[in-house]
Each structure stands twice: as C-alpha cells, then as structure tokens.
C-alpha cells in the first residue's frame, strides 16, 4: 500500500485515554489507574475529531486505551463514528464492560485481553484483573451477536498457559486469536528482565500456535505473524501503514515503537495531520530511528518518550 | 426427385461439384467470387478429387455436375471427367464456353458427357462482354457451335442484370437458334460479386414482371422444342421450401467442404477427412439443425446476410471470441498484465465489451460477422465483468481513498455485490437463450449447468460477507471458478459445433 496516494487513512487507532482500571505488568502504553495523560482531549475536542474522521471517509477505527470505556465520552465517540459509517473495533480488558453500550452501532469486533486461563496467572499479569469478569464479558459480547477477538500477550508469567487460553478463546466463540512476541514498550520495557520469555519458551509457544492453527482451521483464526515487533517494523519501513495512531491528548504518533509524534490534532485538522504523517515517513530522523530499531530492538523501550517532529527546526524532507 | 424423402436415400441424387474457384473471366455477378487467381489455397489435389469420384461411383450417385469457377481450367479436368464417366455417373459441365474447342468437344462427346451448360448473359456483344469481364461473346458462341457439331446436348444459362434484362426475349430465341434444349434463368442473386456490383448490375424491380411475362410467353412458344426453366420465387421462398423439402443434392466446394445449398452459409462436412457416407448423414442432419432454420428466419429480416454466403459459418470465429474474452479476464488480476493494478480495471471491462462491438462491426464490414458469435462473446464478457466487479469489493475502501472510480466505489459494496451476481447470472443465462434461439449448439447447456453451482456457492458465501474482505474471499474464488469452467466448456462445445 502506498500511503502517498491515499486521501485519508484507512484506519485510525485512537487511544481514548491512558487511564485504566488495571495495572498490567506488560502494558505497552504505561497505563494504570489514575494515569490519564495530562491534557487528554475533552468531550468537545474528541467529538470534533470523530466528526473529522467521519468527514474524511475513514472506513475503520480502533478505539483503544488505556481502557477506552473509562473515557466519559466513550459511548458518544463510538456513536458519532458509527453513525458516520466508520466501522469500529473496541479493545477492552473486559473487567467492567457492558456490550449494551454498543447496541445498534456498526461494530467490526470487540477485542478482549485474556492473558491467562486461570485467575492466578491472569491476575498476576493483569494486576487488579478478574478473569471471571473478562470471560463473562466475552460471553456477553458473543451473546449480543458481536464478533469477538481475543488477544494474548505472552510473558514469562503466562506463556505456559497459552494453549489453555487458545482453547478458552475457541470455547467462548472468538473468531480470531491475536498474539505475537511481547512488545518492549511502556511498562513491559521497564519490567523486561522479569517478563521477557526465553527463546525456548517462544519456540514451544510457536509450536503450540502452529498446532492450534491447524486444529481450529475454519473456526478460529490464529494471528501471530509477523511474530515480533521488529519484523513488523522492518516491513513498515518500506511500506508504512495507512493507520493513524492518535494519542489521548490528540497528538499523532508515527508508530508505536518509535518515539516521534508528527502532528497535534488540537491545533491541526485531521487531514493536515494525515499529510504530516505521510511526510514523516520520509523524515531523516524517522529513517534513522527505524535503522536503529532494526539494529537494536531494545530501542523501542524509549518509544514512549515522545519527540515532536513538527516542533523542532524544520528539516527539509527528502522523498 | 422430390417425391422421395431425402432420408430414404443412401446417397445424394445429384452432386454439384465446384471443382475449382479459378476462372479466366471475372463476371460482375459471379456468386462464387471466382476470377483469375481466385483458386482456393486448399483446393483438392488430383488424388483427393479422384478419391471423391471413386466414392461417388461406388455410392451410385446418378448425376454430377462439374462447375467452378471455370471447371475446364483445372489441368486434370479431363482426367476427372474420364474417371467419373467411366464409373457410370451422368456428368454435366457448367462452363463459360471459352475452352470449348472442337478438340475438347470431341473428347467430351467421346467420354459420354450428358450435357454442357454455357452461360450466355446477353444476346449481344455489348451486354455479354460487360457482364462477363474478360469474356468474349463470339468465343462463347463459337464454343456452343462446337458442342452442337460434336453432338453434345446444350443448356443455356442467363442471369439478368440492369443492362441485359430487356434482352431476355432475344436471349431465349438465340438459345434455341444455337441448338440448346434447355434454358435456365431466375432473379439476380445478392451474393458474391453481385454484392459489390449491385449498384450497376441490379435490375430495377419494376423490370421483373415484364421479364417473367416474356419468359412465360417464350416457354409456350418453344414448347416441345426447348424447355425454358425459370422461377419467380425469391431466394427466401426457395430456402423456406427447401427447409421442408431438402433436395437430395449437395454442393462440393473446391476444397472438399460440402455446403447444404448454395444460398446458405453452412457447411456440413469435409470430403478431405470425411467419407461421402458420413457427409451425407451430416447433410441430412444439418437440414434439421435449428441454426439453418434460424438463419432462414434471419434472412427474412435482413436480406443482406446472403451477401455473406462465402463466410461459411463454422465453429472457429466463436472460439476466437471466447478465447479473447478469456485473455482479458485471466490478465485482469493475473500477471504479467494485471490490468487492475495499472488502474485499468474499468478500461478492461470496456475493452471486453467494446472490442466485441468494434470487432462485431468490423466483422460486418469485412463480411465476417455473426450474431451467434456476438451473443456467444457475451457469455465470457458478462462473467468477466462480474469477476472484475467482485474483485473490487474487498478493495472498496482502499480504492475509494486513492480515488479509483470503479463500479463498486461508485455504487457501494452492497450494491456491487448485487451487480456482480446479476452480471454473472446473466452470463450464464445467455447460454440457454442462445440455444433457444438456435444459435448455440445444445451441448453448450453443459457449460451453464457446470457454472451454476459455483454461482450459487458465490451467492451463499458473498451474500452477507461483503463488508469483511477476509470472509468474502470464498465468494470471489467461486465466481472465478464459475467463469473459468463455464467459459472453457462453452468454448469447447461451441467449437464442437453440434
């Protein structure tokens, strides 16, 4: 996909808030209770942005967090987008989730994190989390007739339960199971030494995935490729994604594992931000950072210390 | 001859054999478009001709005529005459009379020729020489004189044109005077060279009543002395009559192909590869083919189609159309062309349709056109368009955001789904329609029947999944398979012809 040709993004990933009711050890966004970002978009700003996304003709939006349902304007944002023809994917931890809030909306899928098949494992990784509640949320999503996706973030704490979680996901009626190597971002990066699974763990995990992929063929899709973040970034380096990543305060990030922001939706329009995003991929600082990331995957650990491309001295863009 | 059903006979009663298309003359009205250098590339060799003669002899065909072109320009003409007459077949020669030397006439007499028919399209130098380009009236008269002296029965043929139609009375008188026992005429036919020369050859319709009145009078006048044969039936009436009462006569072309009747573009066999018995069986079946009756019905609506008599309708052009359609579709998403990736998706749909239209009209102007082929091209054409449409459904958002204005982007995915299903259904329905119209062989229904389950599969897969590309893929796969299978089978059965 050559993003230059696109008049608007094909998808918006919108972190509605950084606040969360859980404090997961592996969180890639540094979320936790009370950790809302200073200057998060107000209801008015968020609804204005939702209107702009609709006007730009964006087909899909992923509403994520933190825990997006904690944003007071969560339901209104979803309704504005959906009424405007944008299909939604909602990512939630499912601990306080009621699918009734999405009734009547165009929902592509609801994704719930299940990082364990037992309360002991789940609760250790998803601090404050209750597995029963998440499972109940999964059931209510399916009962409401909405497509369910499960995501699993492997750590040293839970990777041995992977097979049980996959079976649980299938039993709950998920159409897709998402996973991949743990991302060295946010909280996970700080706790990396405690969380990073061993090579042997990963090898066993891959064997499980391959086996389960065959077992559930035609029933549930197992998505685990690209397996690692650096593989994915290597691909994106020459084919940037058409997705715009919006942070809770309205800034636009070039990519999750890169520290750069390229626009600010509080002061720029949505389409201006899209143009800035397209240019950012040709920015020499971004190219350098991509090269550094390829050389040292650990570099992503600093990706949440945001550097604004647009605020520093203008650097000529060479395409 | 007509008292018997042709199907009762083991072989034709009469075979009109055009032994070459070569001619020393280039007559304005020639229905065979013969002329100097107009021999077919694939005319029968002496050996092949002898083989056919032996079969005619063995099947006890009673009567054969050699015509052309000018039959006497074939170097093995006398060899063929000898072989067939020695076999006991009654032989008549149809000639322009320019090779009827005393010596040749004696040879023909000795070989037991039943009759020689000479064309005299005029009772004067002026009209004869005008009609029969490179021909000389005196030469033809001299040839007839030689026939008479050799004692060979003479028949005269006369074709009316604008500039000789008034001479009909004189021509009949002349025929009698030079010793003919039969005189044949009828209306000028709009076929062969006459199509190109119609402007200068076609008699005024108003001249025909007088023409036929004169013939009627002459028939009575020469009763008992010379028979005057003519029919006022137009071509169409005659063909309709023949449809019900096929003559036990068939026409062998210079290349061995066998035609049903001169005014129809259908061949029913090839004596280079088939035996006389096989061709005879096919001949009888061919008269019952709906394509023949359909053609005659079309002729009623469009007399111009007989101007294309020499484009013998066979399977290959239809196969060509179908393969062209296949090529456009295969490369729509397939390498190396990948039209759709070059932003030419719409153009290709246009090309799939446009070329048929253009090729169709080109066909018309170059006398190479058939409604059957056009209709046949719609089968792959519509299925391809369905394929192009369905293929854009998963890419809807990408195409929309990059500004591609294909049909799915214009109509939306939900309507695009209806469109692709309708287009492909129509493509399949063309087949029974074509069979019903008598344009496609009955077996082509198998192509439609093979495609139908795949179409239904696509409908099932695609009905509710159009907004989820991942889930919609099987719907696309089914329609691609439907296209490939239907088009391939359709081409095969069209090619087989029967």
């Amino acid at each position: 996909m050559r993003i230059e040709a696109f008049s608007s993004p094909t998808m918006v990933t919108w972190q509605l808030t950084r606040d969360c009711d859980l404090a997961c050890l592996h969180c890639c966004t540094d979320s936790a209770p009370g950790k809302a970002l200073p200057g998060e978009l107000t209801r008015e700003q968020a609804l204005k942005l939702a209107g702009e996304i609709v006007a730009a003709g964006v087909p899909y939006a992923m509403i994520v967090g933190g825990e997006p349902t904690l944003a007071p304007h969560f339901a209104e944002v979803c309704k504005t987008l959906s009424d405007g023809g944008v299909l939604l994917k909602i990512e939630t931890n499912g601990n306080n989730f009621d699918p009734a809030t999405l009734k009547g909306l165009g929902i592509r899928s609801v994704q719930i994190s299940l990082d364990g098949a037992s309360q002991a494992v789940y609760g250790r990784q998803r601090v404050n989390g209750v597995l029963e509640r998440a499972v109940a949320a999964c059931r209510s999503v399916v009962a409401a007739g909405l497509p369910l996706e499960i995501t699993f973030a492997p750590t040293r704490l839970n990777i041995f339960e992977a097979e049980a979680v996959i079976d649980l996901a299938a039993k709950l009626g998920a159409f897709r199971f998402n996973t991949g190597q743990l991302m060295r971002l946010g909280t996970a990066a700080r706790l990396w030494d405690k969380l990073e699974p061993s090579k042997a763990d990963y090898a066993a995990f891959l064997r499980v995935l391959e086996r389960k992929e065959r077992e559930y063929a035609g029933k549930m899709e197992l998505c685990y490729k690209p397996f690692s973040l650096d593989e994915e970034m290597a691909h994106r380096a020459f084919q940037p994604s058409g997705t715009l990543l919006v942070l809770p305060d309205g800034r636009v990030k070039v990519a999750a594992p890169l520290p750069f922001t390229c626009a600010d939706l509080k002061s720029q329009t949505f389409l201006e931000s899209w143009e800035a995003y397209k240019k950012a991929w040709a920015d020499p600082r971004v190219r350098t950072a991509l090269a550094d990331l390829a050389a040292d995957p650990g570099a992503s650990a600093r990706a949440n210390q945001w550097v604004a491309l647009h605020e520093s001295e203008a650097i000529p863009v060479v395409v | 001859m007509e008292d018997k059903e042709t199907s009762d006979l083991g072989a034709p009663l009469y075979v009109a054999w055009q032994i070459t298309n070569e001619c020393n003359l280039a007559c304005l009205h020639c229905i065979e478009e013969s002329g100097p250098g107009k021999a077919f590339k694939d005319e029968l060799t002496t050996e092949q001709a002898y083989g056919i003669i032996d079969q005619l002899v063995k099947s006890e065909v009673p009567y054969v005529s050699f015509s052309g072109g000018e039959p006497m320009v074939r170097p093995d003409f006398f060899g063929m005459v000898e072989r067939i007459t020695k076999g006991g077949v009654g032989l008549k020669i149809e000639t322009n009379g320019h090779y009827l030397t005393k010596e040749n006439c004696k040879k023909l007499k000795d070989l037991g020729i039943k009759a020689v028919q000479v064309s005299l399209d005029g009772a004067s130098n002026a009209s004869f020489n005008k009609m029969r380009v490179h021909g000389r009236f005196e030469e033809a008269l001299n040839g007839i004189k030689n026939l008479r002296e050799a004692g060979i029965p003479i028949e005269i043929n006369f074709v009316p044109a604008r500039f000789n139609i008034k001479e009909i009375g004189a021509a009949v008188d002349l025929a009698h005077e030079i010793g003919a026992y039969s005189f044949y005429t009828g209306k000028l036919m709009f076929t062969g060279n006459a199509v190109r020369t119609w402007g200068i050859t076609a008699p005024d319709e108003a001249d025909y009543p007088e023409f036929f009145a004169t013939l009627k009078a002459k028939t009575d006048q020469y009763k008992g002395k010379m028979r005057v044969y003519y029919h006022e039936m137009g071509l169409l009436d005659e063909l309709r009559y023949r449809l019900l009462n096929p003559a036990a006569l068939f026409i062998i072309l210079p290349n061995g192909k066998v035609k049903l009747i001169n005014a129809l573009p259908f061949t029913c066999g090839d004596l280079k590869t088939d035996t006389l018995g096989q061709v005879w069986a096919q001949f009888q079946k061919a008269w019952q083919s709906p394509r023949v009756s359909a053609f005659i019905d079309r002729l009623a609506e469009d007399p111009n189609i007989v101007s294309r008599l020499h484009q013998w309708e066979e399977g290959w052009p239809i196969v060509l159309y179908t393969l062209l359609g296949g090529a456009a579709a295969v490369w729509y998403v397939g390498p190396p062309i990948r039209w759709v990736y070059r932003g030419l998706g719409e153009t290709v749909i246009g090309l799939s349709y446009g070329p048929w239209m253009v090729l169709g009209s080109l066909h018309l102007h170059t006398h190479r056109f058939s409604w059957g082929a056009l209709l046949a091209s719609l089968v792959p054409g519509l299925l391809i368009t369905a394929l192009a449409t369905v293929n854009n459904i998963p890419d809807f958002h990408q195409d929309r955001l990059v500004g591609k204005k294909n049909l799915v982007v214009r109509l939306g995915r939900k309507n695009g789904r209806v469109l692709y299903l309708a287009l492909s259904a129509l493509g399949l329905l063309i087949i029974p329609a074509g069979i019903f119209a008598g344009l496609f062989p009955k077996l082509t229904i198998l192509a439609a029947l093979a495609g139908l389950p795949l179409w239904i599969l696509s409908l099932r897969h695609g009905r509710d999944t159009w907004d989820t590309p991942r889930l919609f893929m099987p719907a696309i796969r089914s329609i691609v398979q439907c296209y490939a299978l239907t088009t391939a089978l359709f081409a095969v059965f069209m090619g087989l012809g029967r």
Side-chain angles (χ1 to χ4, degrees), chain A residues 126-186:
Chain A
R126 301 190 78 80
V127 178
N128 302 338
V130 180
L131 176 62
E132 242 176 58
R133 288 181 164 199
V135 168
C138 290
R139 293 213 171 92
S140 61
V141 165
V142 173
L146 298 175
L148 173 70
E149 285 184 63
I150 298 299
T151 188
F152 174 83
T155 67
R156 206 177 296 167
L157 311 176
N158 72 354
I159 197 163
F160 60 90
E161 265 195 8
E163 180 164 2
V165 176
I166 295 169
D167 291 335
L168 177 60
K171 207 176 89 192
L172 289 169
F175 76 91
R176 186 186 280 157
F177 180 90
N178 296 304
T179 190
Q181 277 189 7
L182 184 65
M183 295 192 287
R184 194 166 181 175
L185 289 170

Side-chain angles (χ1 to χ4, degrees), chain A residues 11-27:
Chain A
M11 186 163 87
V12 172
T13 300
W14 187 351
Q15 296 176 3
L16 221 49
T17 177
R18 200 173 68 173
D19 198 10
C20 192
D21 45 347
L22 310 188
C24 304
L25 302 182
H26 68 291
C27 185

Side-chain angles (χ1 to χ4, degrees), chain B residues 9-159:
Chain B
L9 301 169
L13 290 173
Y14 179 40
V15 170
W17 188 349
Q18 296 165 8
I19 64 173
T20 180
N21 206 51
E22 183 66 26
C23 192
N24 49 322
L25 310 189
C27 304
L28 293 181
H29 64 302
C30 182
I31 61 169
E32 308 304 341
E33 298 179 19
S34 303
K38 290 288 187 79
F40 293 171
K41 298 266 183 297
D42 57 346
E43 292 196 350
L44 295 168
T45 62
T46 300
E47 199 184 336
Q48 287 167 334
Y50 284 1
I52 294 171
I53 288 171
D54 293 346
Q55 293 186 67
L56 293 169
V57 168
K58 202 171 164 216
S59 319
E60 299 181 329
V61 173
Y63 209 66
V64 171
S65 69
F66 281 175
S67 63
E70 168 51 51
M72 295 183 72
V73 301
R74 251 191 96 110
D76 54 3
F77 170 74
F78 281 105
M80 287 176 69
V81 171
E82 179 169 0
R83 200 174 181 99
I84 200 162
T85 50
K86 289 263 166 74
V89 178
L91 183 67
K92 166 182 168 181
I93 310 292
E94 295 179 14
T95 173
N96 58 41
H98 286 59
Y99 293 98
L100 295 171
T101 59
K102 280 188 195 304
E103 191 194 358
N104 284 345
C105 288
K106 182 172 185 308
K107 268 200 228 169
L108 289 173
K109 176 65 184 174
D110 292 346
L111 289 170
I113 290 291
K114 297 285 182 209
V116 171
Q117 175 183 301
V118 182
S119 296
L120 272 189
D121 300 322
S124 69
N125 246 320
S127 55
F128 182 98
N129 295 354
K130 181 166 185 180
M131 184 85 134
R132 305 191 75 79
V133 178
H134 308 313
R136 292 199 305 281
F137 186 51
E138 290 303 327
E139 193 99 7
L141 286 180
N142 196 44
I144 293 166
K145 191 173 123 248
N146 292 338
L147 285 173
R148 193 180 190 177
E149 283 169 7
I152 297 173
I154 298 159
E155 300 179 358
I156 295 299
N157 191 60
F158 177 95
V159 176

Side-chain angles (χ1 to χ4, degrees), chain B residues 439-450:
Chain B
L439 295 169
F440 301 165
K442 285 199 181 70
L443 274 180
T444 54
I445 194 70
L446 295 177
L449 290 176

Side-chain angles (χ1 to χ4, degrees), chain B residues 232-252:
Chain B
E232 299 177 50
M233 255 197 265
L235 184 59
L236 186 58
D237 295 330
E238 180 176 357
L239 287 172
R240 282 189 166 144
Y241 176 77
R242 286 295 171 207
L243 193 57
L244 296 173
N245 310 280
L249 167 158
F250 66 51
I251 295 170
I252 304 177

Side-chain angles (χ1 to χ4, degrees), chain B residues 92 115-124 128 137 141 144 153-161 164-187 211-231:
Chain B
K92 166 182 168 181
V116 171
Q117 175 183 301
V118 182
S119 296
L120 272 189
D121 300 322
S124 69
F128 182 98
F137 186 51
L141 286 180
I144 293 166
I154 298 159
E155 300 179 358
I156 295 299
N157 191 60
F158 177 95
V159 176
N164 71 2
I165 192 164
K166 306 273 191 202
E167 295 178 8
I168 185 63
V172 178
D173 294 341
L174 176 64
H176 180 254
E177 185 191 321
I178 58 183
Y181 76 97
S182 293
F183 183 93
Y184 295 92
T185 190
K187 284 181 157 188
F211 175 75
F212 288 118
T214 307
L215 282 166
K216 191 170 186 318
K218 292 291 174 189
T219 307
D220 296 341
Q221 182 186 338
Y222 290 107
K223 204 162 212 163
K225 300 173 200 158
M226 179 180 80
R227 294 189 63 169
V228 178
Y229 294 93
Y230 65 95
H231 53 78

Side-chain angles (χ1 to χ4, degrees), chain A residues 5-10 57 59-60 175-176 221, chain B residues 397-403 413 467-470:
Chain A
F6 284 71
S7 59
S8 74
T10 52
Y60 302 111
F175 76 91
R176 186 186 280 157
E221 187 187 5
Chain B
H397 286 302
Q398 283 92 330
D399 289 348
R400 180 173 61 82
L401 293 174
V402 300
R413 281 185 293 186
D467 62 346
T468 311
R470 182 174 48 84

